[in-house]
Structures are given as structure tokens and as C-alpha cells.
Amino acid sequence: MYLKINLNDEDFIEFNSYYIMQSARGKRSIMFGRVSILIVAILATIIFFAANANSKFILAEAIVLLAIGVIWFVTYPRMIRNNIAKRVLKVRREGGLPYESEVELSFLDDVIVEKTATTTRETPYADFKEITETDKYIYLAKHTAESMIIPLRCLEDKGAFLSFLRDKIK
């Protein structure tokens, strides 16, 4: 089986966003970021209450901070994705790419041959730990943050391809 893959910035951003949102470390980081603003809001309210501030002021401040906290809680994952996108675009502007844009993959009996403009690498199927399918991609995970990104748009028969991979990667 042979695939020619053309990756773009969006593919790389999607992979990194998925990884952050799904990994145990990323989930902890996101939860901390989401909850931290709520904790600050509660502490500010307690401080004003302890300082015997005007009760209307405390109530107004609590409502405003709660609203900010809820907005932050909901938009925090999008902010992380935007941050990833900014970093990728910065690397691109500086003349590099954090990924290979054109990759040829040959799925042989025992290995996957990954050929780029500058390298050829053979990876045994046994080196892959997990196959993950999303609505747009298949990720073949080698370890924590390294995966082969296979956009579904490059596949003719997704079912046959996944069946082939599941037979090889166990």
C-alpha cells in the first residue's frame, strides 16, 4: 500500500491540539488553566468580603469575576489552539517547518517506509503504540508526542486502510 501525503500547517496544528487535549499531561494543564481564573475570582471575593467592603460592590465584583471565569473556562482550549497556530506560523516565517510537508509512505509487510525530500526512514510496525482515528485524521503514535499524521483526505478506502493497520499494529 502506498500513500502520498501533503501536510499543511492546519494538519500539524490539529495534531498538536489533539495531543494536548487528549494526553494526561495536557488534560491536567488545561484543567489547571481553566480552574485557576475561577480560584482567583473566589479569592478576590473573599478578600473584599473580609475587608468589609460594600456588599453591593462585593456582589457586583463577584458577578463580573464569575462571568469572566466562565468565559475563560469555555474559551481556554481555543486559546491554546490559537497559541499553537501562532508558534507554527512563527517557525514558518523564520524559514523552517516543524513537519515535512510532502511525505511518501509505503506500507510493506514488516515496516512503513517514510520518504521525504531529504530522508528515507523505515519504521517497524512494532514501534507504533496506538492507532487513533479522528474525524479528519489517523494518527499512528510512536510515543508521547511523535505520530505519523495521515489525513483522511489522502485515503481512497478508510475502512480497508484501518483494517490493514490494525492487523499490523497490535
Side-chain angles (χ1 to χ4, degrees):
M1 188 176 298
Y2 171 82
L3 291 176
K4 183 170 175 116
I5 297 174
N6 291 309
L7 294 177
N8 56 44
D9 292 343
E10 186 63 26
D11 297 328
F12 190 72
I13 292 165
E14 283 292 323
F15 166 70
N16 282 282
S17 297
Y18 178 83
Y19 170 72
I20 288 173
M21 301 296 178
Q22 299 303 319
S23 71
R25 185 176 180 187
K27 286 179 180 179
R28 278 193 309 272
S29 175
I30 289 170
M31 188 51 66
F32 177 77
R34 285 176 145 180
V35 171
S36 64
I37 193 74
L38 295 172
I39 291 171
V40 168
I42 291 168
L43 288 175
T45 303
I46 291 170
I47 289 169
F48 282 119
F49 185 75
N52 290 326
N54 181 333
S55 60
K56 288 181 182 178
F57 174 76
I58 292 173
L59 181 61
E61 180 249 347
I63 291 170
V64 168
L65 289 176
L66 181 62
I68 291 170
V70 168
I71 291 168
W72 178 268
F73 190 87
V74 170
T75 61
Y76 192 68
R78 182 178 294 158
M79 291 169 35
I80 290 174
R81 187 183 189 293
N82 290 342
N83 191 9
I84 292 168
K86 285 178 189 175
R87 282 185 279 150
V88 169
L89 294 175
K90 179 182 177 190
V91 170
R92 178 180 280 289
R93 277 193 308 270
E94 292 172 353
L97 278 177
Y99 60 90
E100 293 288 341
S101 60
E102 292 184 13
V103 180
E104 295 176 7
L105 297 176
S106 297
F107 296 86
L108 306 178
D109 287 337
D110 298 330
V111 297
I112 298 174
V113 179
E114 183 179 2
K115 186 175 180 182
T116 67
T118 58
T119 63
T120 299
R121 178 170 54 172
E122 291 185 0
T123 306
Y125 290 104
D127 287 0
F128 293 97
K129 307 299 183 227
E130 183 179 6
I131 302 168
T132 303
E133 179 185 358
T134 69
D135 59 334
K136 295 180 182 178
Y137 302 95
I138 295 172
Y139 302 124
L140 303 180
K142 292 180 188 177
H143 52 78
T144 309
E146 184 181 357
S147 292
M148 281 188 180
I149 302 169
I150 302 173
L152 294 180
R153 67 180 182 269
C154 298
L155 300 175
E156 291 178 18
D157 185 353
K158 179 179 94 170
F161 182 71
L162 280 170
S163 178
F164 173 83
L165 287 177
R166 288 186 179 118
D167 286 344
K168 298 290 185 178
I169 301 171
K170 298 176 184 186

